[in-house]
Amino acid sequence: MVHTFPTQEKNATLAFFFLVLYTIAVLIRPHEFSYETSKYIVIKVFAILAFLFTLTSLRPITILPQHYMLLGFTPLIMISAFLNGWGMGGIEEAQKFFVASIIPFFLYSSLITSISRQKLLMYVSIAAALIMVYNGYIQQQSFDGTFGYGLGDSFSVGRSEMRITYLGFFGDPNDLGMFLVMNIAFLAYFYSEKGALNKVIMPLIFALLCYGVWMTGSRGTLLGVIGVICSYYMIKKAGARLILFAIIMAPIVATLLAKFGGMSSSESSANGRLEAWYSGILMLLNNPIFGVGKGNFMDHHELVAHNSYIHVAGEMGIPGYSLWAGVIILCMLASYKVIKEFANLPGDDISDESKIAYAAEVKINQALFFSMLGFMITAFFLSRQFTLLLFIFLGMLTASHIRLFTLRPELKMLFCKDMVIKSMLYCWVIIVAVYMALKVGL
């Protein structure tokens, strides 16, 4: 299931340069600091240039099953929309998904060909997170009871509490909080690296990110912080059976917490959130093959699902959800196996240099795994199923897998046909567990 197009090796340095600029433009968004420059289409330009230079100067290009799965998701968007009487809208949604999801995923999975490149993007990500926290602090200090103003046109909103925002798609506090959570694993990675400075700076940055999460007022991202930390100790210390039990029970516990733990957001009560989840499952049951159509959830319920998994299942049906969630589970399952079963190179004839290089890749892969775990936890309480963050970080994780293949070719079995099928089945544990919990909670 792993396809590589062999030719003379080329590293696409210029393409990666534009990918770095694209990352800065997407995450830090400096062009939006002023009204005049905010009109510039720098993000699209950097993406197009990175894509063109990737196609012309990167060799080899490796295609994994998750690339095909995301491509397969695209026509399903059009078919689902057509069957729900929204044909032209489906074409627009499919085009949007291809441009804003598949292309970024392809760029990050293809161009991060070394650990040094990955570290550079991790530093950019951390820098963006710190700027967002600083911007939130400015908003907090200027808060007048209704609004607080920061960089560009960003402003916080006060309802029952003040909630900070940032620019672009980070204009929602939940997206901002999700991004902060996804950076925690990067801090842990650099903290474990050599150097006394890392031991001082990374805990300070962690404290700042936690402060930022608190300022977002997002309960889902607060749970994400706790969940990532607990999951780290669970996965590193616990046995397979206990981990499997925790995976099955997590959606059930989270659902019951939403019912009895007062996890309501300001726009809906806890019961309203659960009713939205139940409505999404009813959409799936009534339209099991193609769902109600991407973007049509609120045509059938007054609120979004506040759960990315249920949102996709309700809108896209069984095939669509199996592909979307299957990609996530496939990448995560491969990384889990690397962490638990393939953490070291076997054999006594392996050079120390190879062992060090492989260990470094495993360590990076672990950091990206827990970063994605932060997304998975927060996505359980937010409808962020097609956020650019998902495809950026999934691309990084996939790039790590490709680098691992070069050091240990037998790891390609982690993306064999059986693993793909298992991932597309395992992803339904979340939906089934929530459905069972809702039958008790409602």
Side-chain angles (χ1 to χ4, degrees), residues 259 270-271 274-279 437-442:
K259 171 68 177 178
N271 279 335
L274 293 183
E275 288 170 2
W277 294 1
Y278 195 66
S279 293
L438 286 173
K439 297 298 287 186
V440 175
L442 288 178

Side-chain angles (χ1 to χ4, degrees), residues 155-234:
F155 59 89
S156 62
V157 178
R159 294 175 182 170
S160 59
E161 57 187 335
M162 192 206 79
R163 306 186 67 190
I164 65 169
T165 66
Y166 192 59
L167 301 167
F169 66 92
F170 295 109
D172 188 302
N174 295 314
D175 293 280
L176 198 163
M178 172 182 280
F179 179 64
L180 298 181
V181 172
M182 295 176 76
N183 274 276
I184 291 176
F186 292 173
L187 300 180
Y189 171 83
F190 287 118
Y191 177 82
S192 66
E193 291 282 273
K194 294 180 180 179
L197 194 59
N198 284 331
K199 300 296 188 287
V200 176
I201 292 179
M202 296 306 156
L204 291 176
I205 297 178
F206 173 72
L208 290 172
L209 296 195
C210 289
Y211 175 58
V213 169
W214 175 77
M215 287 192 293
T216 64
S218 174
R219 296 164 181 81
T221 52
L222 177 60
L223 277 180
V225 174
I226 299 172
V228 169
I229 295 173
C230 293
S231 297
Y232 173 81
Y233 288 101
M234 171 73 71

Side-chain angles (χ1 to χ4, degrees), residues 44 53 64 96 104 227 246 305 316 337:
K44 292 182 180 179
F53 281 114
L64 297 180
K96 185 191 304 182
M316 295 301 299
K337 286 185 172 293

Side-chain angles (χ1 to χ4, degrees), residues 266-312:
S266 58
E267 71 272 9
S268 65
S269 65
N271 279 335
R273 183 183 293 262
L274 293 183
E275 288 170 2
W277 294 1
Y278 195 66
S279 293
I281 291 179
L282 289 180
M283 293 177 205
L284 172 65
L285 294 177
N286 293 328
N287 304 272
I289 306 301
F290 293 110
V292 300
K294 183 176 180 292
N296 291 342
F297 192 97
M298 292 186 68
D299 290 346
H300 300 264
H301 188 77
E302 65 271 16
L303 298 173
V304 296
H306 291 290
N307 184 304
S308 297
Y309 309 97
I310 292 175
H311 203 124
V312 175

